[in-house]
Amino acid sequence: MSADVTPPSDLDRPKLSRQSAWFQAIVPGGSIALSLTAAFIFWFQPDACAAILVLPRWLWIAPGLLLAAIGWTRKRKQIANVALVLWCLYTIFFVQELRSLIRFHQSIPDTTRASGATLRVISLNCAAGNELAAAEVANFHPDIVLFQESPLRPIVQRLTPQLLGPNSQVISGYDVSLITRGKLTPIPADRAWSAPFCHARIELPSGLVVDVLSIRFHPYGIRADLWSPACWREQRENRIQQHEEFEWVAREIEKIPADVPIILGGDFNLPAGDKLFRILPPRIRDTFRIAGHGWGDSLVNDIPFVRIDQIWCDDHFRALSTQAHKTVNSDHRMVICDLLYLPPDKK
């Protein structure tokens, strides 16, 4: 005689609950795994992860916090709380945009401006040589202008008096230009026809002599198809080429005597904070990290999400203010930097 087997009812079957161990391991546990993975990649920055390194560092915070929030319950909140702490630490250590947002802008006294010791440097990517974009810098009264994706040389030469006045001079290189008030002496680079920068020694009307470089490194394309091996391969190859360009600029800077002030800037086509910037000599530093205020990202103009346009200087200057200003005719924001020259006895 066989016993009847009663099939389990829906009430008897285990249900997936937010408080279950499996759910906690997968959802808030996944948030922890994501935070640790992102921190590992952005700390060590291996070339093999170039497809991730070109993306904004804050991009991973929202999905991480969402997973932690979904997994949080009153009875099972320990894992979610750990995830929250890890994402707070990640934001503090890896997201530079937060620091400039909480830094107050300090106005420059008129007496300081009148002393002639300050100068304004503007860097702008002109969006495939857009003349209207280049003309926008005139409204901000710069002393030195660095163009990338520069208009053609005849156009820049025609614009120069309109931008900086009748006593300004210009030098154009491959895809970049440099305009200044005062006297400009070009310093040719090795293989100048393919150099990702132009270099000149400038004597400003105040008598200050400074070496200036306008830079545009090899562009990268932000790709969302992270599942594609071609995406990872392409970004890694781009990064290797940028590594060589950083070394090229570093060698150029090393040629400059220590007593000559240095300013360089432009479109580095690499997010701020990348370890490739460590290739540059320690005598120069990113002005935005010192005196930047507001949202410093410069690409794209309407909704900027990454800071690839930057201005650097050495310790002959003190950065007073650096900001990314919205443009009308470019897909980049222009970077406006005010510097104070420090005589040797006041450094």
Side-chain angles (χ1 to χ4, degrees):
M1 181 174 179
S2 60
D4 294 336
V5 177
T6 304
S9 66
D10 291 342
L11 296 176
D12 298 329
R13 294 193 181 109
K15 292 184 178 180
L16 181 63
S17 168
R18 292 172 59 199
Q19 299 184 31
S20 68
W22 279 107
F23 187 91
Q24 289 293 311
I26 293 172
V27 180
S31 176
I32 291 176
L34 180 60
S35 69
L36 294 176
T37 300
F40 175 86
I41 291 174
F42 289 112
W43 181 269
F44 293 101
Q45 301 185 25
D47 290 345
C49 295
I52 300 295
L53 296 174
V54 298
L55 298 174
R57 299 183 176 189
W58 48 260
L59 182 66
W60 313 101
I61 298 176
L65 293 179
L66 179 61
L67 290 174
I70 293 174
W72 193 94
T73 67
R74 290 186 177 181
K75 294 183 178 180
R76 302 292 296 270
K77 57 186 177 182
Q78 293 87 352
I79 299 179
N81 286 342
V82 171
L84 179 61
V85 170
L86 289 176
W87 282 114
C88 288
L89 292 173
Y90 174 87
T91 302
I92 293 171
F93 284 101
F94 294 102
V95 180
Q96 294 187 4
E97 286 86 352
L98 178 65
R99 304 166 197 171
S100 61
L101 287 176
I102 61 178
R103 182 184 292 130
F104 292 103
H105 173 53
Q106 297 180 352
S107 60
I108 303 172
D110 293 337
T111 54
T112 303
R113 291 189 183 277
S115 67
T118 63
L119 65 153
R120 171 164 287 183
V121 184
I122 292 182
S123 177
L124 175 63
N125 183 303
C126 296
N130 189 325
E131 180 178 348
L132 294 177
E136 290 185 45
V137 304
N139 296 327
F140 300 93
H141 311 291
D143 299 289
I144 299 172
V145 175
L146 314 175
F147 282 149
Q148 307 84 45
E149 292 192 45
S150 173
L152 296 175
R153 183 176 304 175
I155 297 176
V156 178
Q157 290 175 337
R158 174 169 52 80
L159 283 175
T160 294
Q162 304 172 30
L163 301 180
L164 272 73
N167 296 321
S168 53
Q169 296 185 359
V170 59
I171 177 178
S172 294
Y174 175 73
D175 206 32
V176 292
S177 294
L178 192 163
I179 308 173
T180 182
R181 303 182 192 274
K183 181 181 178 182
L184 182 153
T185 303
I187 300 179
D190 297 334
R191 295 179 290 139
W193 59 272
S194 63
F197 61 88
C198 62
H199 180 188
R201 183 158 294 169
I202 293 171
E203 183 177 352
L204 294 165
S206 63
L208 174 63
V209 175
V210 55
D211 271 33
V212 182
L213 289 84
S214 179
I215 293 170
R216 181 173 184 254
F217 285 160
H218 183 72
Y220 69 91
I222 295 178
R223 296 180 56 166
D225 56 336
L226 297 179
W227 61 85
S228 169
C231 169
W232 294 79
R233 184 170 55 252
E234 176 186 325
Q235 297 291 21
R236 183 177 183 275
E237 292 172 353
N238 287 346
R239 186 172 179 83
I240 291 173
Q241 182 169 346
Q242 289 178 330
H243 189 284
E244 296 173 352
E245 292 173 329
F246 268 97
E247 290 183 335
W248 194 347
V249 170
R251 291 193 298 269
E252 190 74 10
I253 294 173
E254 294 292 354
K255 299 176 184 176
I256 302 173
D259 59 342
V260 176
I262 300 174
I263 298 171
L264 75 153
D267 181 357
F268 289 86
N269 273 308
L270 198 67
D274 194 283
K275 73 174 184 179
L276 292 186
F277 285 98
R278 302 173 196 168
I279 298 173
L280 298 176
R283 64 190 282 195
I284 61 171
R285 58 196 184 278
D286 179 5
T287 62
F288 192 87
R289 298 192 69 172
I290 301 168
H293 57 90
W295 189 256
D297 292 350
S298 57
L299 181 74
V300 291
N301 182 50
D302 292 328
I303 308 176
F305 59 87
V306 64
R307 187 166 70 89
I308 63 176
D309 301 277
Q310 303 170 34
I311 295 175
W312 291 53
C313 69
D314 67 359
D315 60 3
H316 287 89
F317 298 100
R318 177 162 66 91
L320 301 175
S321 170
T322 305
Q323 60 179 311
H325 192 278
K326 195 174 188 298
T327 57
V328 178
N329 299 289
S330 176
D331 56 343
H332 290 239
R333 295 194 171 191
M334 73 171 69
V335 181
I336 304 174
C337 177
D338 291 318
L339 299 173
L340 174 67
Y341 174 65
L342 302 174
D345 58 338
K346 294 184 179 181
K347 286 197 293 183

